[in-house]
């Protein structure tokens, strides 16, 4: 079965390392904040000017003035800092983020990402995504493997306007964990209960399948 949004976030949270500064994009990536492994310390950044973002608040913790870049209410962890968005983007552009987790509409075999607009549809703007893909070396895309219409989002070439070119090396979907190298997707893990054939069928870009593909563990 395909992973839930929470399970997708749990899988990405396994990539967090002690001492990391991490930016979580709008959408599913924000859920990663709830699953940081015990025993490590990470500082989660939101580009509207919060470093040290904690889990989503309970009803008792809710503060309407404490929001992330997606305008969701959040908590601040011990040692958090609040500053202007200009300083936040200076941190991003200066390469001071160790891991970035972004959602996307499309990713292709060249490591290109399209994440900010669909022509003909109203958008609020590209947000911080273009700065993040330009200023970060370690990016994980977290998205569903296919669209609501069942069309693959892992393509030979992106069809939507690009957010960044040649910048994506890893993708976690509701079906699989894949790496991008040498102009191909490389299947590294599959969601529990999901067959390799299902992943092959829903991956439009060239996919390399090793002899053994382990199931994800949580």
């Amino acid at each position: 079965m395909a992973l839930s949004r929470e399970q997708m976030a749990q899988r990405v949270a396994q990539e967090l390392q002690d001492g990391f500064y991490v930016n979580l994009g709008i959408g599913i990536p924000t859920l990663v904040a709830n699953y940081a492994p015990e025993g490590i310390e990470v500082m989660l950044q939101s580009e509207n000017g919060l470093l040290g973002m904690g889990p989503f608040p309970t009803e008792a913790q809710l503060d309407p003035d404490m929001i992330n870049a997606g305008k969701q209410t959040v908590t601040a962890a011990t040692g958090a800092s609040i500053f202007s968005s200009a300083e936040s983007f200076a941190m991003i552009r200066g390469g001071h983020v160790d891991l970035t987790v972004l959602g996307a509409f499309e990713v292709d075999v060249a490591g290109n990402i399209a994440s900010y607009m669909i022509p003909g549809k109203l958008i609020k703007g590209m947000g911080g995504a273009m700065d993040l893909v330009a200023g970060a070396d370690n990016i994980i895309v977290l998205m569903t493997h296919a669209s609501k219409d069942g069309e693959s989002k892992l393509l030979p070439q992106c069809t939507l306007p690009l957010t960044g070119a040649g910048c994506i090396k890893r993708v976690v979907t509701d079906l699989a964990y894949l790496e991008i190298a040498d102009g191909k997707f490389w299947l590294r893990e599959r969601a529990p209960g999901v067959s390799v054939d299902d992943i092959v069928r829903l991956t439009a870009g060239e996919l390399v399948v090793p002899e053994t593909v382990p199931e994800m563990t949580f």
Side-chain angles (χ1 to χ4, degrees):
M1 292 180 62
L3 300 179
S4 67
R5 290 161 56 96
E6 289 74 18
Q7 288 172 316
M8 293 165 67
Q10 282 180 274
R11 176 60 189 86
V12 171
Q14 294 176 14
E15 304 300 311
L16 301 177
Q17 296 181 28
D18 192 37
F20 263 18
Y21 292 92
V22 181
N23 182 283
L24 302 178
I26 294 170
I28 302 174
T30 60
L31 297 174
V32 176
N34 291 336
Y35 300 106
E38 293 184 11
I40 70 168
E41 185 174 319
V42 296
M43 293 295 277
L44 303 178
Q45 187 222 25
S46 184
E47 66 251 28
N48 58 323
L50 172 59
L51 179 63
M53 186 168 53
F56 285 109
T58 63
E59 192 68 30
Q61 296 171 319
L62 194 147
D63 178 351
D65 292 324
M66 181 68 73
I67 61 171
N68 63 17
K71 298 180 176 60
Q72 297 168 304
T73 52
V74 293
T75 59
T78 301
S81 300
I82 297 172
F83 37 83
S84 75
S85 60
E87 291 173 302
S88 184
F89 276 92
M91 179 180 176
I92 292 168
R93 293 169 183 170
H96 303 296
V97 176
D98 298 299
L99 173 64
T100 297
V101 185
L102 294 175
F105 298 132
E106 297 174 345
V107 174
D108 69 25
V109 295
N112 300 324
I113 176 174
S115 68
Y116 80 99
M117 75 171 295
I118 298 175
K121 292 192 175 183
L122 180 66
I123 62 164
K124 297 178 181 178
M126 74 284 294
M130 288 185 175
D131 291 272
L132 286 162
V133 297
D137 291 325
N138 188 13
I139 304 168
I140 298 177
V141 167
L142 180 56
M143 66 178 189
T144 56
H145 209 96
S147 69
K148 293 179 181 178
D149 298 325
E151 298 295 323
S152 177
K153 296 166 69 172
L154 292 105
L155 305 175
Q157 185 174 2
C158 288
T159 63
L160 297 172
L162 296 185
T163 307
C167 54
I168 306 303
K169 299 181 179 71
R170 295 188 288 170
V171 182
V172 173
T173 75
D174 53 341
L175 303 183
Y177 167 55
L178 308 100
E179 294 178 347
I180 302 173
D182 302 323
K184 303 177 183 67
F185 294 112
W186 298 73
L187 182 57
R188 300 304 186 198
E189 298 176 13
R190 56 192 173 90
V194 172
S195 72
V196 170
D197 287 342
D198 287 335
I199 297 166
V200 170
R201 180 172 53 83
L202 287 172
T203 305
E206 185 175 354
L207 177 66
V208 178
V209 180
E211 187 173 329
T212 302
V213 181
E215 289 190 348
M216 295 179 188
T217 57
F218 299 97

